[in-house]
Amino acid sequence: MRVLVVEDEAPLRRALVMNLDARGFAVTEAADGAHALTALADHQQDVVILDLGLPDMSGVDVIRSVRAFATTPIIVLSARSGSADKVHALDLGADDYVTKPFNMDELLARLRATNRRLQVADEPVPTTVGTVTVDLAATTAIDGDGAPVHFTPTEWKILDVLVRRPGSLVSSDTLLTAVRGSAEHTDPSYLRIYVGQLRRKLEPEPGRPRHLITEPGMGYRLRP
Ligand code: CA
């Protein structure tokens, strides 16, 4: 798996390169946006780890430029705790984010989730979420004790997106688009109602979700 690391802080960049290299990733590094875009244009990359605060241009501008010619997954590194720039990055086509300071294991988990998504076949295999096994191809689900679990057509649409991207952040806009064809003019509480229904069917404790996780202000993440 080829990874492009875009980070201007040299010590952090070196740490990332060292850790990824040690785990068998083929790593290319870039210290600014211009070099990142050149690296992407010159070589096929499987995933980009992108710092949002770069010296020559904003990481957000890098995402915009990359998305003009490539669908390469982008994991954003954001120093800010506020969610506005992360939301902006996701809206422009970033796939996930990690907030600095981050734990290397957390970043690797995000990379693995992205990698799994790349390998997902057109016909997804049944996935077990908590005790419920969801078969997207057959649109059937059974509980651990063999009892069928019934989902409404809207719930299936939401599940379809989440189950195909296990562990990955899925933006509210992506889910709303899957359900309604567009995210425009839709009250965010619309989605919360369906997520609440899904939790009652999937979570052992719906009030304390462990599988269908809310990422405040951004979207949802399914942890099977
Ligand atoms: Ca930076």
Side-chain angles (χ1 to χ4, degrees), residues 45-74:
Q45 303 288 343
D46 296 312
V47 63
V48 181
I49 297 173
L50 174 69
D51 180 29
L52 282 187
L54 296 170
D56 59 337
M57 64 175 88
S58 156
V60 164
D61 292 330
V62 176
I63 296 169
R64 199 179 280 122
S65 304
V66 171
R67 282 291 170 263
F69 66 90
T71 56
T72 317
I74 299 172

PDB file of all heavy atoms in Angstrom, residues 45-74:
ATOM      1  N   GLN A  45      -0.916   6.842  -5.694  1.00  0.00           N
ATOM      2  CA  GLN A  45      -0.872   6.640  -4.241  1.00  0.00           C
ATOM      3  C   GLN A  45      -2.169   5.971  -3.820  1.00  0.00           C
ATOM      4  O   GLN A  45      -3.214   6.233  -4.401  1.00  0.00           O
ATOM      5  CB  GLN A  45      -0.730   7.995  -3.519  1.00  0.00           C
ATOM      6  CG  GLN A  45       0.473   8.822  -3.928  1.00  0.00           C
ATOM      7  CD  GLN A  45       1.789   8.264  -3.413  1.00  0.00           C
ATOM      8  OE1 GLN A  45       1.823   7.438  -2.494  1.00  0.00           O
ATOM      9  NE2 GLN A  45       2.892   8.694  -4.016  1.00  0.00           N
ATOM     10  N   ASP A  46      -2.105   5.105  -2.792  1.00  0.00           N
ATOM     11  CA  ASP A  46      -3.319   4.431  -2.325  1.00  0.00           C
ATOM     12  C   ASP A  46      -4.058   5.249  -1.277  1.00  0.00           C
ATOM     13  O   ASP A  46      -5.270   5.139  -1.137  1.00  0.00           O
ATOM     14  CB  ASP A  46      -2.977   3.052  -1.765  1.00  0.00           C
ATOM     15  CG  ASP A  46      -2.423   2.150  -2.851  1.00  0.00           C
ATOM     16  OD1 ASP A  46      -3.038   2.086  -3.935  1.00  0.00           O
ATOM     17  OD2 ASP A  46      -1.362   1.540  -2.645  1.00  0.00           O
ATOM     18  N   VAL A  47      -3.294   6.045  -0.537  1.00  0.00           N
ATOM     19  CA  VAL A  47      -3.923   6.893   0.481  1.00  0.00           C
ATOM     20  C   VAL A  47      -3.003   8.079   0.774  1.00  0.00           C
ATOM     21  O   VAL A  47      -1.784   7.972   0.643  1.00  0.00           O
ATOM     22  CB  VAL A  47      -4.255   6.072   1.756  1.00  0.00           C
ATOM     23  CG1 VAL A  47      -3.017   5.518   2.409  1.00  0.00           C
ATOM     24  CG2 VAL A  47      -5.055   6.875   2.765  1.00  0.00           C
ATOM     25  N   VAL A  48      -3.608   9.208   1.135  1.00  0.00           N
ATOM     26  CA  VAL A  48      -2.849  10.417   1.478  1.00  0.00           C
ATOM     27  C   VAL A  48      -3.140  10.778   2.936  1.00  0.00           C
ATOM     28  O   VAL A  48      -4.303  10.825   3.337  1.00  0.00           O
ATOM     29  CB  VAL A  48      -3.256  11.615   0.581  1.00  0.00           C
ATOM     30  CG1 VAL A  48      -2.448  12.855   0.939  1.00  0.00           C
ATOM     31  CG2 VAL A  48      -3.095  11.264  -0.893  1.00  0.00           C
ATOM     32  N   ILE A  49      -2.077  10.997   3.706  1.00  0.00           N
ATOM     33  CA  ILE A  49      -2.228  11.548   5.059  1.00  0.00           C
ATOM     34  C   ILE A  49      -1.846  13.009   4.945  1.00  0.00           C
ATOM     35  O   ILE A  49      -0.716  13.332   4.569  1.00  0.00           O
ATOM     36  CB  ILE A  49      -1.322  10.806   6.067  1.00  0.00           C
ATOM     37  CG1 ILE A  49      -1.751   9.335   6.164  1.00  0.00           C
ATOM     38  CG2 ILE A  49      -1.380  11.476   7.440  1.00  0.00           C
ATOM     39  CD1 ILE A  49      -0.809   8.490   7.007  1.00  0.00           C
ATOM     40  N   LEU A  50      -2.793  13.902   5.225  1.00  0.00           N
ATOM     41  CA  LEU A  50      -2.617  15.314   4.885  1.00  0.00           C
ATOM     42  C   LEU A  50      -2.816  16.242   6.079  1.00  0.00           C
ATOM     43  O   LEU A  50      -3.903  16.302   6.656  1.00  0.00           O
ATOM     44  CB  LEU A  50      -3.634  15.679   3.785  1.00  0.00           C
ATOM     45  CG  LEU A  50      -3.715  17.137   3.368  1.00  0.00           C
ATOM     46  CD1 LEU A  50      -2.451  17.577   2.635  1.00  0.00           C
ATOM     47  CD2 LEU A  50      -4.938  17.364   2.481  1.00  0.00           C
ATOM     48  N   ASP A  51      -1.753  16.975   6.437  1.00  0.00           N
ATOM     49  CA  ASP A  51      -1.855  18.014   7.460  1.00  0.00           C
ATOM     50  C   ASP A  51      -2.629  19.188   6.863  1.00  0.00           C
ATOM     51  O   ASP A  51      -2.401  19.558   5.706  1.00  0.00           O
ATOM     52  CB  ASP A  51      -0.431  18.445   7.864  1.00  0.00           C
ATOM     53  CG  ASP A  51      -0.438  19.536   8.921  1.00  0.00           C
ATOM     54  OD1 ASP A  51      -1.400  19.576   9.711  1.00  0.00           O
ATOM     55  OD2 ASP A  51       0.521  20.321   8.941  1.00  0.00           O
ATOM     56  N   LEU A  52      -3.545  19.775   7.629  1.00  0.00           N
ATOM     57  CA  LEU A  52      -4.334  20.893   7.089  1.00  0.00           C
ATOM     58  C   LEU A  52      -3.561  22.208   7.103  1.00  0.00           C
ATOM     59  O   LEU A  52      -3.812  23.093   6.295  1.00  0.00           O
ATOM     60  CB  LEU A  52      -5.643  21.059   7.878  1.00  0.00           C
ATOM     61  CG  LEU A  52      -6.780  20.091   7.569  1.00  0.00           C
ATOM     62  CD1 LEU A  52      -8.032  20.496   8.314  1.00  0.00           C
ATOM     63  CD2 LEU A  52      -7.058  19.983   6.073  1.00  0.00           C
ATOM     64  N   GLY A  53      -2.607  22.347   8.044  1.00  0.00           N
ATOM     65  CA  GLY A  53      -1.850  23.596   8.150  1.00  0.00           C
ATOM     66  C   GLY A  53      -0.498  23.480   7.461  1.00  0.00           C
ATOM     67  O   GLY A  53       0.471  23.009   8.046  1.00  0.00           O
ATOM     68  N   LEU A  54      -0.428  23.886   6.192  1.00  0.00           N
ATOM     69  CA  LEU A  54       0.821  23.778   5.424  1.00  0.00           C
ATOM     70  C   LEU A  54       1.359  25.173   5.123  1.00  0.00           C
ATOM     71  O   LEU A  54       0.598  26.135   5.093  1.00  0.00           O
ATOM     72  CB  LEU A  54       0.560  23.014   4.113  1.00  0.00           C
ATOM     73  CG  LEU A  54       0.126  21.554   4.285  1.00  0.00           C
ATOM     74  CD1 LEU A  54      -0.340  20.981   2.957  1.00  0.00           C
ATOM     75  CD2 LEU A  54       1.261  20.717   4.861  1.00  0.00           C
ATOM     76  N   PRO A  55       2.691  25.294   4.893  1.00  0.00           N
ATOM     77  CA  PRO A  55       3.274  26.635   4.722  1.00  0.00           C
ATOM     78  C   PRO A  55       2.864  27.339   3.430  1.00  0.00           C
ATOM     79  O   PRO A  55       2.718  28.555   3.413  1.00  0.00           O
ATOM     80  CB  PRO A  55       4.787  26.370   4.745  1.00  0.00           C
ATOM     81  CG  PRO A  55       4.951  24.922   4.447  1.00  0.00           C
ATOM     82  CD  PRO A  55       3.711  24.239   4.933  1.00  0.00           C
ATOM     83  N   ASP A  56       2.681  26.611   2.329  1.00  0.00           N
ATOM     84  CA  ASP A  56       2.446  27.283   1.052  1.00  0.00           C
ATOM     85  C   ASP A  56       0.976  27.400   0.668  1.00  0.00           C
ATOM     86  O   ASP A  56       0.587  28.298  -0.063  1.00  0.00           O
ATOM     87  CB  ASP A  56       3.224  26.585  -0.074  1.00  0.00           C
ATOM     88  CG  ASP A  56       2.849  25.117  -0.229  1.00  0.00           C
ATOM     89  OD1 ASP A  56       2.341  24.522   0.756  1.00  0.00           O
ATOM     90  OD2 ASP A  56       3.056  24.553  -1.310  1.00  0.00           O
ATOM     91  N   MET A  57       0.174  26.474   1.157  1.00  0.00           N
ATOM     92  CA  MET A  57      -1.268  26.557   0.871  1.00  0.00           C
ATOM     93  C   MET A  57      -2.009  25.787   1.958  1.00  0.00           C
ATOM     94  O   MET A  57      -1.416  25.009   2.696  1.00  0.00           O
ATOM     95  CB  MET A  57      -1.591  26.002  -0.516  1.00  0.00           C
ATOM     96  CG  MET A  57      -1.297  24.527  -0.712  1.00  0.00           C
ATOM     97  SD  MET A  57      -1.830  23.907  -2.333  1.00  0.00           S
ATOM     98  CE  MET A  57      -0.404  24.249  -3.327  1.00  0.00           C
ATOM     99  N   SER A  58      -3.288  26.028   2.044  1.00  0.00           N
ATOM    100  CA  SER A  58      -4.072  25.317   3.043  1.00  0.00           C
ATOM    101  C   SER A  58      -4.275  23.872   2.585  1.00  0.00           C
ATOM    102  O   SER A  58      -4.385  23.595   1.387  1.00  0.00           O
ATOM    103  CB  SER A  58      -5.419  26.007   3.210  1.00  0.00           C
ATOM    104  OG  SER A  58      -6.376  25.105   3.700  1.00  0.00           O
ATOM    105  N   GLY A  59      -4.317  22.950   3.557  1.00  0.00           N
ATOM    106  CA  GLY A  59      -4.600  21.552   3.235  1.00  0.00           C
ATOM    107  C   GLY A  59      -5.938  21.415   2.519  1.00  0.00           C
ATOM    108  O   GLY A  59      -6.128  20.543   1.677  1.00  0.00           O
ATOM    109  N   VAL A  60      -6.854  22.330   2.867  1.00  0.00           N
ATOM    110  CA  VAL A  60      -8.175  22.328   2.226  1.00  0.00           C
ATOM    111  C   VAL A  60      -8.033  22.576   0.712  1.00  0.00           C
ATOM    112  O   VAL A  60      -8.715  21.949  -0.101  1.00  0.00           O
ATOM    113  CB  VAL A  60      -9.071  23.394   2.900  1.00  0.00           C
ATOM    114  CG1 VAL A  60     -10.279  23.723   2.052  1.00  0.00           C
ATOM    115  CG2 VAL A  60      -9.512  22.910   4.281  1.00  0.00           C
ATOM    116  N   ASP A  61      -7.106  23.476   0.344  1.00  0.00           N
ATOM    117  CA  ASP A  61      -6.859  23.729  -1.084  1.00  0.00           C
ATOM    118  C   ASP A  61      -6.216  22.510  -1.758  1.00  0.00           C
ATOM    119  O   ASP A  61      -6.466  22.255  -2.940  1.00  0.00           O
ATOM    120  CB  ASP A  61      -5.952  24.954  -1.264  1.00  0.00           C
ATOM    121  CG  ASP A  61      -6.663  26.233  -0.849  1.00  0.00           C
ATOM    122  OD1 ASP A  61      -7.903  26.279  -0.986  1.00  0.00           O
ATOM    123  OD2 ASP A  61      -5.984  27.153  -0.370  1.00  0.00           O
ATOM    124  N   VAL A  62      -5.383  21.792  -0.991  1.00  0.00           N
ATOM    125  CA  VAL A  62      -4.784  20.562  -1.540  1.00  0.00           C
ATOM    126  C   VAL A  62      -5.892  19.556  -1.851  1.00  0.00           C
ATOM    127  O   VAL A  62      -5.916  18.957  -2.926  1.00  0.00           O
ATOM    128  CB  VAL A  62      -3.759  19.947  -0.552  1.00  0.00           C
ATOM    129  CG1 VAL A  62      -3.225  18.616  -1.085  1.00  0.00           C
ATOM    130  CG2 VAL A  62      -2.608  20.918  -0.295  1.00  0.00           C
ATOM    131  N   ILE A  63      -6.836  19.409  -0.918  1.00  0.00           N
ATOM    132  CA  ILE A  63      -7.946  18.466  -1.139  1.00  0.00           C
ATOM    133  C   ILE A  63      -8.716  18.848  -2.400  1.00  0.00           C
ATOM    134  O   ILE A  63      -9.014  18.014  -3.253  1.00  0.00           O
ATOM    135  CB  ILE A  63      -8.917  18.449   0.069  1.00  0.00           C
ATOM    136  CG1 ILE A  63      -8.200  17.932   1.316  1.00  0.00           C
ATOM    137  CG2 ILE A  63     -10.143  17.587  -0.219  1.00  0.00           C
ATOM    138  CD1 ILE A  63      -8.984  18.129   2.601  1.00  0.00           C
ATOM    139  N   ARG A  64      -9.006  20.153  -2.522  1.00  0.00           N
ATOM    140  CA  ARG A  64      -9.769  20.636  -3.679  1.00  0.00           C
ATOM    141  C   ARG A  64      -9.033  20.300  -4.980  1.00  0.00           C
ATOM    142  O   ARG A  64      -9.630  19.809  -5.930  1.00  0.00           O
ATOM    143  CB  ARG A  64      -9.998  22.145  -3.547  1.00  0.00           C
ATOM    144  CG  ARG A  64     -11.114  22.669  -4.410  1.00  0.00           C
ATOM    145  CD  ARG A  64     -11.320  24.164  -4.223  1.00  0.00           C
ATOM    146  NE  ARG A  64     -12.073  24.511  -3.043  1.00  0.00           N
ATOM    147  CZ  ARG A  64     -11.650  25.294  -2.058  1.00  0.00           C
ATOM    148  NH1 ARG A  64     -10.434  25.807  -2.096  1.00  0.00           N
ATOM    149  NH2 ARG A  64     -12.412  25.572  -1.030  1.00  0.00           N
ATOM    150  N   SER A  65      -7.708  20.537  -4.978  1.00  0.00           N
ATOM    151  CA  SER A  65      -6.916  20.257  -6.180  1.00  0.00           C
ATOM    152  C   SER A  65      -6.854  18.765  -6.472  1.00  0.00           C
ATOM    153  O   SER A  65      -6.991  18.346  -7.623  1.00  0.00           O
ATOM    154  CB  SER A  65      -5.485  20.782  -6.008  1.00  0.00           C
ATOM    155  OG  SER A  65      -5.515  22.151  -5.700  1.00  0.00           O
ATOM    156  N   VAL A  66      -6.648  17.954  -5.426  1.00  0.00           N
ATOM    157  CA  VAL A  66      -6.556  16.501  -5.622  1.00  0.00           C
ATOM    158  C   VAL A  66      -7.866  15.963  -6.176  1.00  0.00           C
ATOM    159  O   VAL A  66      -7.888  15.164  -7.115  1.00  0.00           O
ATOM    160  CB  VAL A  66      -6.212  15.779  -4.290  1.00  0.00           C
ATOM    161  CG1 VAL A  66      -6.343  14.268  -4.437  1.00  0.00           C
ATOM    162  CG2 VAL A  66      -4.806  16.144  -3.836  1.00  0.00           C
ATOM    163  N   ARG A  67      -8.979  16.426  -5.608  1.00  0.00           N
ATOM    164  CA  ARG A  67     -10.282  15.899  -6.018  1.00  0.00           C
ATOM    165  C   ARG A  67     -10.635  16.282  -7.464  1.00  0.00           C
ATOM    166  O   ARG A  67     -11.533  15.691  -8.050  1.00  0.00           O
ATOM    167  CB  ARG A  67     -11.376  16.364  -5.049  1.00  0.00           C
ATOM    168  CG  ARG A  67     -11.398  15.579  -3.755  1.00  0.00           C
ATOM    169  CD  ARG A  67     -11.853  14.136  -3.977  1.00  0.00           C
ATOM    170  NE  ARG A  67     -11.652  13.302  -2.793  1.00  0.00           N
ATOM    171  CZ  ARG A  67     -10.610  12.500  -2.596  1.00  0.00           C
ATOM    172  NH1 ARG A  67      -9.651  12.412  -3.514  1.00  0.00           N
ATOM    173  NH2 ARG A  67     -10.493  11.762  -1.516  1.00  0.00           N
ATOM    174  N   ALA A  68      -9.911  17.247  -8.013  1.00  0.00           N
ATOM    175  CA  ALA A  68     -10.155  17.613  -9.412  1.00  0.00           C
ATOM    176  C   ALA A  68      -9.657  16.517 -10.351  1.00  0.00           C
ATOM    177  O   ALA A  68     -10.117  16.417 -11.487  1.00  0.00           O
ATOM    178  CB  ALA A  68      -9.475  18.933  -9.733  1.00  0.00           C
ATOM    179  N   PHE A  69      -8.704  15.683  -9.876  1.00  0.00           N
ATOM    180  CA  PHE A  69      -8.183  14.657 -10.783  1.00  0.00           C
ATOM    181  C   PHE A  69      -8.062  13.265 -10.176  1.00  0.00           C
ATOM    182  O   PHE A  69      -7.731  12.314 -10.881  1.00  0.00           O
ATOM    183  CB  PHE A  69      -6.825  15.090 -11.374  1.00  0.00           C
ATOM    184  CG  PHE A  69      -5.684  15.194 -10.379  1.00  0.00           C
ATOM    185  CD1 PHE A  69      -4.889  14.083 -10.124  1.00  0.00           C
ATOM    186  CD2 PHE A  69      -5.416  16.378  -9.725  1.00  0.00           C
ATOM    187  CE1 PHE A  69      -3.835  14.173  -9.215  1.00  0.00           C
ATOM    188  CE2 PHE A  69      -4.364  16.469  -8.822  1.00  0.00           C
ATOM    189  CZ  PHE A  69      -3.574  15.365  -8.570  1.00  0.00           C
ATOM    190  N   ALA A  70      -8.306  13.092  -8.877  1.00  0.00           N
ATOM    191  CA  ALA A  70      -8.113  11.768  -8.275  1.00  0.00           C
ATOM    192  C   ALA A  70      -9.109  11.498  -7.150  1.00  0.00           C
ATOM    193  O   ALA A  70      -9.583  12.424  -6.485  1.00  0.00           O
ATOM    194  CB  ALA A  70      -6.690  11.647  -7.728  1.00  0.00           C
ATOM    195  N   THR A  71      -9.412  10.217  -6.955  1.00  0.00           N
ATOM    196  CA  THR A  71     -10.325   9.816  -5.877  1.00  0.00           C
ATOM    197  C   THR A  71      -9.556   9.179  -4.719  1.00  0.00           C
ATOM    198  O   THR A  71     -10.168   8.600  -3.821  1.00  0.00           O
ATOM    199  CB  THR A  71     -11.368   8.803  -6.397  1.00  0.00           C
ATOM    200  OG1 THR A  71     -10.646   7.689  -6.967  1.00  0.00           O
ATOM    201  CG2 THR A  71     -12.271   9.402  -7.440  1.00  0.00           C
ATOM    202  N   THR A  72      -8.215   9.309  -4.748  1.00  0.00           N
ATOM    203  CA  THR A  72      -7.371   8.740  -3.696  1.00  0.00           C
ATOM    204  C   THR A  72      -7.904   9.100  -2.304  1.00  0.00           C
ATOM    205  O   THR A  72      -8.151  10.276  -2.036  1.00  0.00           O
ATOM    206  CB  THR A  72      -5.935   9.308  -3.821  1.00  0.00           C
ATOM    207  OG1 THR A  72      -5.568   9.325  -5.188  1.00  0.00           O
ATOM    208  CG2 THR A  72      -4.945   8.493  -3.009  1.00  0.00           C
ATOM    209  N   PRO A  73      -8.090   8.100  -1.424  1.00  0.00           N
ATOM    210  CA  PRO A  73      -8.568   8.431  -0.079  1.00  0.00           C
ATOM    211  C   PRO A  73      -7.621   9.381   0.653  1.00  0.00           C
ATOM    212  O   PRO A  73      -6.399   9.266   0.530  1.00  0.00           O
ATOM    213  CB  PRO A  73      -8.604   7.073   0.636  1.00  0.00           C
ATOM    214  CG  PRO A  73      -8.660   6.064  -0.452  1.00  0.00           C
ATOM    215  CD  PRO A  73      -7.927   6.660  -1.615  1.00  0.00           C
ATOM    216  N   ILE A  74      -8.183  10.334   1.380  1.00  0.00           N
ATOM    217  CA  ILE A  74      -7.401  11.332   2.114  1.00  0.00           C
ATOM    218  C   ILE A  74      -7.786  11.285   3.593  1.00  0.00           C
ATOM    219  O   ILE A  74      -8.966  11.406   3.938  1.00  0.00           O
ATOM    220  CB  ILE A  74      -7.668  12.758   1.573  1.00  0.00           C
ATOM    221  CG1 ILE A  74      -7.274  12.856   0.091  1.00  0.00           C
ATOM    222  CG2 ILE A  74      -6.917  13.804   2.409  1.00  0.00           C
ATOM    223  CD1 ILE A  74      -7.689  14.162  -0.574  1.00  0.00           C
TER     224      ILE A  74
END
